[in-house]
């Protein structure tokens, strides 16, 4: 495992995209501040300087690259284990929720030439930030908001990096986390809107499936969603 830290950078994901060739497998890059932090679907990821854990992990290992569809869910699970708090769950495929608020977002990107050269798993965990000002569908939460305590960022970072590293080593050795992660399935049995063949449909989620896709009921037919955005239906 290697670690690199920047006080300020555009985005830790972008840094790895530009530099992956000369960096080792399992390099973790973190930053106090990102001037152009990126979220999913071309959204920005804004975070106050030094308040949150912002990092990206470079994966060049072929065995892990082949399992890429499971890795954001497994990263979320590793973080949940490291945090050891109640009411945390994985909102498939890339978020960690505390009750009904987002605590952590994950942006998994693949750099592809003829085949996938590497994966970049970018993680933004809200730690000590107290207020979130901006346009959010639902206001996010942070460890501070949950526990009323300020976290030591270095300790937390070490704990999370070590947990992800050790879990990914197990994945490499063919350990299947499915039975562990399915206990943390936020969307299980909920109604959601999902984009299915370019049409937004209201569907019922059955739950995360063995291959880490999402099993849903669409027009009385069971189908599996492998990527894309699902939004909860509000009542
Ligand atoms: C999302 O929920 O939309 C995913 C957010 C991912 C944010 C992290 S912060 C560290 C890494 N660098 C980025 O530019 N994005 C990810």
């Amino acid at each position: 495992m290697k670690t690199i830290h920047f006080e300020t950078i555009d985005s830790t994901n972008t840094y790895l995209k530009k530099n992956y060739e000369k960096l080792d497998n399992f390099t973790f890059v973190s930053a106090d501040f990102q001037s152009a932090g990126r979220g999913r679907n071309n959204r920005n990821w804004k975070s106050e300087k030094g308040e949150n854990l912002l990092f990206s992990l470079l994966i060049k290992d072929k065995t892990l690259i082949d399992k890429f569809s499971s890795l954001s869910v497994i990263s979320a699970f590793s973080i949940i284990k490291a945090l050891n708090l109640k009411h945390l769950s994985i909102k498939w495929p890339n978020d960690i929720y505390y009750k009904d608020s987002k605590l952590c977002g994950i942006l998994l990107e693949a750099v592809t030439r003829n085949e996938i050269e590497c994966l970049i798993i970018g993680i933004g965990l809200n730690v000590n930030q107290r207020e979130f000002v901006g346009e959010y569908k639902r206001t996010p939460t942070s460890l501070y908001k949950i526990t009323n305590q300020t976290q030591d960022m270095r300790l937390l970072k070490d704990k999370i990096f070590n947990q992800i590293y050790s879990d990914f080593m197990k994945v490499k050795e063919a350990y299947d986390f499915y039975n562990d992660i399915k206990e943390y399935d936020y969307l299980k049995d909920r109604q959601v809107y999902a984009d299915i063949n370019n049409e937004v449909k209201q569907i019922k989620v059955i739950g995360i499936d063995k291959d880490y896709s999402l099993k849903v009921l669409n027009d009385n037919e069971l189908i599996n969603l492998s990527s894309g955005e699902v939004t909860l239906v509000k009542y």
Side-chain angles (χ1 to χ4, degrees):
M1 186 205 303
K2 293 241 167 89
T3 58
I4 305 174
H5 184 76
F6 292 95
E7 226 173 82
T8 298
I9 198 165
D10 51 357
S11 144
T12 54
N13 266 43
T14 308
Y15 174 83
L16 283 179
K17 257 190 189 171
K18 286 184 193 151
N19 296 289
Y20 74 92
E21 278 167 312
K22 55 177 191 247
L23 293 169
D24 290 340
N25 183 37
F26 272 113
T27 300
F28 285 86
V29 180
S30 55
D32 292 335
F33 182 73
Q34 297 184 127
S35 54
R38 295 187 288 111
R40 285 201 310 282
N41 298 319
N42 294 321
R43 288 190 282 250
N44 297 325
W45 186 262
K46 288 200 180 126
S47 169
E48 284 172 18
K49 184 166 186 175
E51 298 292 316
N52 301 317
L53 188 52
L54 310 169
F55 69 93
S56 303
L57 167 61
L58 176 65
I59 299 292
K60 294 168 100 171
D61 180 300
K62 180 89 177 68
T63 322
L64 287 172
I65 289 176
D66 286 345
K67 301 192 173 191
F68 83 96
S69 52
S70 66
L71 295 184
S72 54
V73 169
I74 293 171
S75 317
F77 174 65
S78 303
I79 295 170
I80 287 178
K81 265 199 290 188
L83 294 177
N84 192 23
L85 277 175
K86 281 189 180 154
H87 307 297
L88 296 182
S89 57
I90 301 166
K91 179 172 172 279
W92 182 91
N94 307 58
D95 292 334
I96 297 175
Y97 267 43
Y98 170 75
K99 296 184 178 168
D100 290 317
S101 307
K102 179 160 164 169
L103 174 67
C104 175
I106 301 177
L107 173 68
L108 188 144
E109 298 183 294
V111 177
T112 311
R113 283 196 186 147
N114 293 328
E115 50 182 20
I116 298 180
E117 303 261 309
C118 70
L119 299 175
I120 297 164
I121 306 175
I123 299 184
L125 170 67
N126 299 331
V127 180
N128 291 326
Q129 191 165 323
R130 295 177 182 209
E131 272 183 73
F132 293 85
V133 185
E135 301 220 337
Y136 298 105
K137 270 193 223 150
R138 283 162 192 246
T139 312
T141 193
S142 65
L143 295 179
Y144 180 83
K145 284 175 72 173
I146 297 168
T147 63
N148 249 319
Q149 281 173 347
T150 306
Q151 304 290 324
D152 181 320
M153 197 70 79
R154 278 219 191 136
L155 288 181
L156 183 68
K157 185 161 100 170
D158 282 354
K159 207 170 177 192
I160 287 176
F161 285 10
N162 286 326
Q163 190 66 57
I164 293 177
Y165 181 77
S166 96
D167 287 343
F168 276 33
M169 285 299 157
K170 287 190 185 163
V171 175
K172 204 170 130 61
E173 288 150 18
Y175 180 82
D176 187 356
F177 277 99
Y178 179 68
N179 283 328
D180 307 289
I181 63 101
K182 71 173 201 261
E183 306 295 319
Y184 293 91
D185 188 351
Y186 178 78
L187 291 177
K188 188 175 165 50
D189 298 327
R190 293 188 193 242
Q191 295 284 333
V192 300
Y193 292 117
D195 197 327
I196 296 173
N197 302 327
N198 296 324
E199 199 189 330
V200 178
K201 309 261 309 249
Q202 184 174 332
I203 51 178
K204 185 185 171 195
V205 173
I206 306 301
I208 300 174
D209 211 348
K210 282 204 163 77
D211 62 356
Y212 294 84
S213 62
L214 191 69
K215 188 180 269 187
V216 301
L217 196 57
N218 174 44
D219 297 335
N220 291 323
E221 194 195 347
L222 286 173
I223 59 166
N224 284 63
L225 305 179
S226 54
S227 67
E229 196 81 334
V230 291
T231 318
L232 283 170
V233 173
K234 277 200 190 132
Y235 290 103

